[in-house]
């Protein structure tokens, strides 16, 4: 269960979040818990999570190790401050910052090279769903992005299916819609990397996951976890999601 804080919270607010959140998930050993705060709060989050099983991730990662890339943060920088994960290809990065399947692949490889677990996001836009293009979009994102990994690399990634129309909109994909999309993705994985890889890969659902809908989503065997935006900003609500 992963939380994406987007561009919210200061380091002090991060510390305050963990004070409330930690006791609520102290006994939650049924899943991995990852929180991805803004880069400026990672050190505070790592310090506040110390001694717990909560892991910390970045919301993006540069494809280069270092260099003249103003505004970028490298994998080595993330691991140096104690991060273990990095979200890659979030739809807000694709929509507002020109992220493409090609750059998503490069960033994914950079995360793996740095020893980080990439959470690679895919998902269709509203007009693509309404025109019946969901499957084609998922196949294309997979083919141009994730399929460029080696089998060994693929075994270390987590995929997040996030239909763009469900992110931050309050519209959740029904459990059946989400499961259908997860099946499409898993089929692609099977065709490219084999059955074992398809069975093993974790596919998270993201898009307006809340305490009151998480249970029905997680009841789908296809759905292995959630990537949670808005509802992960509140300690009580993210803890309820983790403890669904
Ligand atoms: C997200 O940011 O990845 C996300 C799914 O957002 P929300 O839960 O707010 O829809």
């Amino acid at each position: 269960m992963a939380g994406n804080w987007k561009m919210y919270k200061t380091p002090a607010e991060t510390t305050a979040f963990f004070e409330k959140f930690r006791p609520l998930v102290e006994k939650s050993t049924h899943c991995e818990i990852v929180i991805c705060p803004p880069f400026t709060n990672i050190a505070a989050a790592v310090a506040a999570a110390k001694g717990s099983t909560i892991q910390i991730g970045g919301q993006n990662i540069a494809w280069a190790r270092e260099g003249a890339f103003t505004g970028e943060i490298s994998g080595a920088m993330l691991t140096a401050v104690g991060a273990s994960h990095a979200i890659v290809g979030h739809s807000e990065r694709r929509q507002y910052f020109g992220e493409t399947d090609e750059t998503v692949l490069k960033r994914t490889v950079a995360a793996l090279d740095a020893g980080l677990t990439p959470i690679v996001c895919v998902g269709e836009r509203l007009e693509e769903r309404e025109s019946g293009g969901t499957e084609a979009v998922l196949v294309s994102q997979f083919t141009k992005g994730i399929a460029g990994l080696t089998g060994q690399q693929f075994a270390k990634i987590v995929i997040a299916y996030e239909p763009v129309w469900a992110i931050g909109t309050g519209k959740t994909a029904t459990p059946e819609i989400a499961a259908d999309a997860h099946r499409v993705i898993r089929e692609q994985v099977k065709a490219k990397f084999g059955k074992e890889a398809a069975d093993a890969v974790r596919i998270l659902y993201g898009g307006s996951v809340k305490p009151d809908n998480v249970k029905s989503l997680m009841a789908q065997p296809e759905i292995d976890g959630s990537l949670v935006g808005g509802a992960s900003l509140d300690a009580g609500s993210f803890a309820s999601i983790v403890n669904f």
Side-chain angles (χ1 to χ4, degrees):
M1 300 301 241
N4 169 23
W5 281 4
K6 309 184 192 239
M7 198 171 72
Y8 292 101
K9 292 195 195 291
T10 62
E13 288 166 345
T14 300
T15 307
F17 172 95
F18 276 85
E19 274 168 21
K20 281 196 199 153
F21 184 65
R22 274 186 70 154
L24 302 175
V25 296
E26 211 168 38
K27 299 197 177 84
S28 312
T29 52
H30 60 285
C31 66
E32 284 186 62
I33 306 170
V34 183
I35 292 180
C36 302
F39 291 128
T40 47
N41 303 355
I42 290 180
V46 168
K50 201 165 177 212
S52 76
T53 57
I54 305 163
Q55 302 171 83
I56 308 301
Q59 295 174 14
N60 191 14
I61 176 172
W63 57 71
R65 281 169 195 270
E66 61 180 3
F69 296 100
T70 303
E72 291 286 291
I73 300 287
S74 74
M77 292 168 183
L78 284 170
T79 55
V81 288
S84 55
H85 289 66
I87 297 174
V88 180
H90 190 278
S91 66
E92 286 152 16
R93 302 287 326 162
R94 293 177 189 256
Q95 190 176 349
Y96 305 123
F97 301 101
E99 207 70 65
T100 63
D101 296 320
E102 290 75 17
T103 59
V104 169
L105 175 60
K106 284 163 73 172
R107 293 184 196 277
T108 303
V109 170
L112 292 165
D113 286 348
L116 295 159
T117 301
I119 302 172
V120 185
C121 303
V122 295
E124 80 287 359
R125 298 196 302 264
L126 181 61
E127 59 272 28
E128 293 165 335
R129 171 155 289 271
E130 286 179 341
S131 64
T134 298
E135 183 162 345
V137 169
L138 294 176
V139 170
S140 165
Q141 288 176 338
F142 182 87
T143 310
K144 292 190 198 147
I146 295 169
L149 298 172
T150 65
Q152 263 184 339
Q153 288 171 326
F154 179 80
K156 297 186 184 139
I157 76 165
V158 173
I159 298 174
Y161 167 63
E162 298 211 312
V164 181
W165 48 271
I167 297 178
T169 59
K171 286 186 198 154
T172 321
T174 63
E176 293 73 24
I177 287 180
D180 278 348
H182 283 217
R183 263 190 291 278
V184 170
I185 297 166
R186 227 178 271 281
E187 280 301 315
Q188 293 301 303
V189 174
K190 191 174 165 194
K192 172 72 192 173
F193 297 108
K195 184 175 182 311
E196 216 171 293
D199 289 343
V201 66
R202 285 172 294 172
I203 307 180
L204 314 183
Y205 167 77
S208 298
V209 175
K210 306 275 183 256
D212 61 1
N213 60 24
V214 64
K215 211 167 174 167
S216 59
L217 288 160
M218 293 304 298
Q220 295 288 328
E222 278 293 341
I223 300 180
D224 303 311
S226 302
L227 178 53
V228 185
S232 71
L233 291 163
D234 178 78
S237 98
F238 192 43
S240 297
I241 290 172
V242 167
N243 296 326
F244 68 95

